[in-house]
Amino acid sequence: MKEVILVSGKDCNLCREAQLLVSQINLKDCIITTVDIYSKRTYVDKFWDKIPVILYGEKELLWPFDKEKIIKFLD
């Protein structure tokens, strides 16, 4: 299984939109984990002005993205 991390923030409208997009995609081979940006200092340092962000392995998908971009990113 692939581990996909959605880095988001509390009270973030874009993050809620990203969660909705991810939930609409059939990601049967993926485990999706949503983490708060403040859960790791490295997330804050790197993404404080970029959330939502999707992480997969060493790759990062920064907002804005849509369903098609997410699917291509995870291929």
Side-chain angles (χ1 to χ4, degrees):
M1 288 239 151
K2 303 175 187 176
E3 182 181 14
V4 179
I5 298 172
L6 174 61
V7 180
S8 65
K10 184 179 177 185
D11 298 324
C12 171
N13 291 331
L14 295 177
C15 299
R16 283 190 284 278
E17 188 174 335
Q19 287 177 323
L20 181 62
L21 286 172
V22 169
S23 72
Q24 294 173 347
I25 300 170
N26 184 8
L27 300 173
K28 58 186 171 196
D29 294 334
C30 296
I31 296 172
I32 309 295
T33 305
T34 301
V35 297
D36 187 272
I37 190 165
Y38 294 106
S39 66
K40 284 189 177 181
R41 181 65 193 196
T42 55
Y43 292 160
V44 175
D45 291 344
K46 193 167 186 179
F47 304 123
W48 70 273
D49 61 342
K50 297 172 181 66
I51 59 171
V53 177
I54 297 176
L55 305 176
Y56 174 58
E58 298 296 316
K59 300 188 312 182
E60 304 166 352
L61 181 62
L62 306 175
W63 187 262
F65 47 80
D66 57 20
K67 289 185 216 177
E68 289 179 13
K69 286 184 182 178
I70 296 170
I71 292 167
K72 287 180 184 176
F73 173 73
L74 296 175
D75 255 353

